[in-house]
Structure formats: structure tokens, C-alpha cells
């Protein structure tokens, strides 16, 4: 099963920067001025690893559609 999230950001470039090279294999689409949808396919998760994808997403304010909750960026 893929990962579907809503990311609170003003532009897709921030999402692309965080996801790096895998961003081009994800579906990133605008929802409104401050929110973007991101769909990460299962085959990509299997290839890269869910842990590394979740670690990248943890750098962004995002709503995990499967968990049903907002996640705030981890402070380092």
C-alpha cells in the first residue's frame, strides 16, 4: 500500500527538495494555496524503504491520510 499525505507548504519545490531524487516518481499536486497532496507508490516504498521515506516526510508538516493525524517536523 502506498503512502498518501497532505503537506502544508507554499510550493512543491520544498517537497521535492525533501524527497530528493524519488520526488519525480511521486505524484505531487496542489490542493489549495497552502496544501499539496503527495502520493508515493508501493513499488517506490519497496525499492527505497518506508523508513527512509517517512524520515524525509518527518521534515515537513504533513497529514498522514492512513493515520488520520497531523505530523509536525522533528526538531534536530
Amino acid at each position: 500500500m502506498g503512502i498518501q499525505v497532505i503537506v502544508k507548504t507554499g510550493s512543491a519545490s520544498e517537497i521535492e527538495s525533501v524527497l530528493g531524487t524519488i520526488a519525480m516518481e511521486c505524484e505531487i499536486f496542489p490542493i489549495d494555496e497552502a496544501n499539496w497532496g503527495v502520493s508515493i507508490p508501493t513499488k517506490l516504498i519497496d525499492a527505497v524503504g518506508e523508513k527512509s521515506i517517512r524520515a524525509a516526510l518527518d521534515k515537513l508538516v504533513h497529514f498522514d491520510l492512513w493515520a488520520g493525524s497531523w505530523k509536525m517536523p522533528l526538531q534536530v
Side-chain angles (χ1 to χ4, degrees), residues 1-5 7 14-28 38-62 64 66 71 74:
M1 185 176 307
I3 296 173
Q4 288 78 35
V5 297
V7 177
E14 183 178 358
I15 300 166
E16 292 165 349
S17 174
V18 166
L19 292 177
T21 58
I22 68 166
M24 64 184 165
E25 297 182 54
C26 300
E27 184 177 357
I28 301 172
V38 180
S39 181
I40 304 169
T42 302
K43 67 177 186 168
L44 185 59
I45 297 167
D46 292 343
V48 177
E50 184 173 353
K51 189 173 183 177
S52 65
I53 292 172
R54 295 256 181 222
L57 290 172
D58 283 343
K59 297 175 183 174
L60 301 165
V61 175
H62 67 282
D64 186 318
W66 292 110
K71 312 283 183 178
L74 296 176

